[in-house]
Amino acid sequence: MADLFSTEGARAAPERPPKPEDLLKGHRNRLRSRFMGGGTDAVADYELLELVLFRAIPRRDVKPVAKRLLSRFGGFAGVISADVARLREIDGLGEAAIVELKIVEAAAVAMLRDRVMDQPVLTDGDAVVDYCRAALAHRAVEEFRVLFFDSKNRLIADEALSRGTVDQVAVYTREVMARALALKAVALILVHNHPSGDPTPSRADIEMTREIVAAGRTMRVSVHDHLIIGATGAVSLRADGKM
């Protein structure tokens, strides 16, 4: 008589396939753990973007979106600093996700700005360039900014005095000097970007710089430099002997 309780020959119950939401949760947890254990060196750029997008897109795989962003904008820095209108063109990227990207951009710029705020600028020129590149390198239009310094060469203000088009921006020497006097600044650094990506100064850039330098000499305001920022790098007109 067969043993009614014998398991011999019984078929094992088939394993249930994991639910999509469990797979997604597992991937996110593993990626977070890898990032916390090794920082940015432990993750690829698209994975870093995934981490940023997790909160804004909680129930969907964001890897395809991250890879589309990198394909369109060329790198992590290009993604977070991209114009909002262009970000809205990316399939699968909603307003909440765009806000998350812009928060990361603002945090990066603020961190670099803190490196130069209240510090003698001439002791860490690289920090100034890094800050200016973070703020301007990927802007879609030209923007003219001025960094104002006190008598100890400490940054007291950073202001955008003019925004233009993709290839030009209006700069008024009178306005630059007026702001310097209002802020009681004794020195400044001119900064503007080239949306084309090439930071090579134009003839107009050089002439405008020399005009502001001459006005500053009259008003006893020193112009330390004019930095031109592009996606491929930065050019110092002082270092190039064009001031």
Side-chain angles (χ1 to χ4, degrees), residues 55-188:
R55 289 198 310 166
I57 309 175
R59 287 178 290 276
R60 183 157 50 88
D61 181 12
V62 297
K63 184 185 295 184
V65 179
K67 290 191 172 182
R68 281 196 290 272
L69 284 165
L70 289 173
S71 176
R72 173 70 67 88
F73 300 110
F76 187 85
V79 171
I80 64 171
S81 59
D83 184 73
V84 170
R86 296 186 66 198
L87 288 171
R88 288 180 178 140
E89 297 172 357
I90 303 298
D91 184 38
L93 195 71
E95 290 300 310
I98 292 173
V99 169
E100 292 295 325
L101 293 173
K102 288 297 151 185
I103 289 172
V104 173
E105 181 195 20
V109 172
M111 182 181 69
L112 291 169
R113 188 172 187 271
D114 284 349
R115 286 180 57 194
V116 298
M117 200 71 181
D118 296 324
Q119 299 295 323
V121 66
L122 297 182
T123 65
D124 196 356
D126 289 343
V128 174
V129 174
D130 289 344
Y131 165 59
C132 292
R133 290 195 66 188
L136 290 174
H138 300 281
R139 293 290 174 91
V141 299
E142 285 200 21
E143 181 174 303
F144 179 75
R145 305 185 73 92
V146 181
L147 309 184
F148 298 93
F149 299 89
D150 64 15
S151 59
K152 295 182 180 180
N153 280 320
R154 294 177 303 193
L155 180 65
I156 57 176
D158 164 24
E159 297 186 359
L161 295 190
S162 183
R163 291 182 176 89
T165 65
V166 294
D167 60 0
Q168 63 181 352
V169 62
V171 179
Y172 301 101
T173 300
R174 180 173 58 254
E175 183 179 355
V176 174
M177 289 298 116
R179 284 303 294 155
L181 293 176
L183 293 167
K184 298 181 180 179
V186 300
L188 51 84

Side-chain angles (χ1 to χ4, degrees), residues 30-82:
R30 288 190 297 273
L31 188 53
R32 288 188 180 105
S33 295
R34 181 148 49 90
F35 172 72
M36 293 304 293
T40 54
D41 290 337
V43 295
D45 277 1
Y46 76 87
E47 292 174 318
L48 191 58
L49 278 173
E50 284 188 76
L51 289 165
V52 174
L53 296 173
F54 282 168
R55 289 198 310 166
I57 309 175
R59 287 178 290 276
R60 183 157 50 88
D61 181 12
V62 297
K63 184 185 295 184
V65 179
K67 290 191 172 182
R68 281 196 290 272
L69 284 165
L70 289 173
S71 176
R72 173 70 67 88
F73 300 110
F76 187 85
V79 171
I80 64 171
S81 59

